[in-house]
Amino acid sequence: MLECHDLKISWVGHDCFRIENDIVIYTYPFNINGGVCVDLILITYPNIKHFSPDDIQKISSESTVVVAPQDCISCLEDIDLMEVKTAVSGEWIDAF
């Protein structure tokens, strides 16, 4: 784990990282065992090792926000999430 000021970054496996401060963020959850529900999940493209709806469901709750490209949105419809935001390259997103 890497700690810098109040920020904690942990490698979970493959390309998945857990980033913690006041909120918990996961990037690319893939082949994970589960864990606590997270606040924000970041996905950049629909490759199976970077976009796994099954793994997203393992760490999601009705307060989780997912940011993902349009290609991924339809695969997230059956997961109970607070919100799914569409990511467009080069644009800023207000996640909360």
Side-chain angles (χ1 to χ4, degrees), residues 58-87:
K58 291 177 187 176
I59 55 172
S60 295
S61 73
E62 54 208 26
S63 62
T64 301
V65 174
V66 175
V67 177
Q70 185 65 44
D71 302 14
C72 301
I73 303 301
S74 64
C75 297
L76 297 170
E77 291 173 352
D78 294 333
I79 301 174
D80 192 17
L81 300 165
M82 181 165 92
E83 188 173 4
V84 177
K85 296 196 175 214
T86 303

Side-chain angles (χ1 to χ4, degrees), residues 45-57:
Y45 62 101
N47 176 290
I48 187 63
K49 291 184 179 179
H50 295 269
F51 175 60
S52 169
D54 290 340
D55 288 298
I56 289 171
Q57 190 158 17

Side-chain angles (χ1 to χ4, degrees), residues 15-27:
D15 286 341
C16 182
F17 286 88
R18 176 186 172 102
I19 304 164
E20 279 184 78
N21 194 337
D22 294 334
I23 64 172
V24 179
I25 302 168
Y26 264 63
T27 63

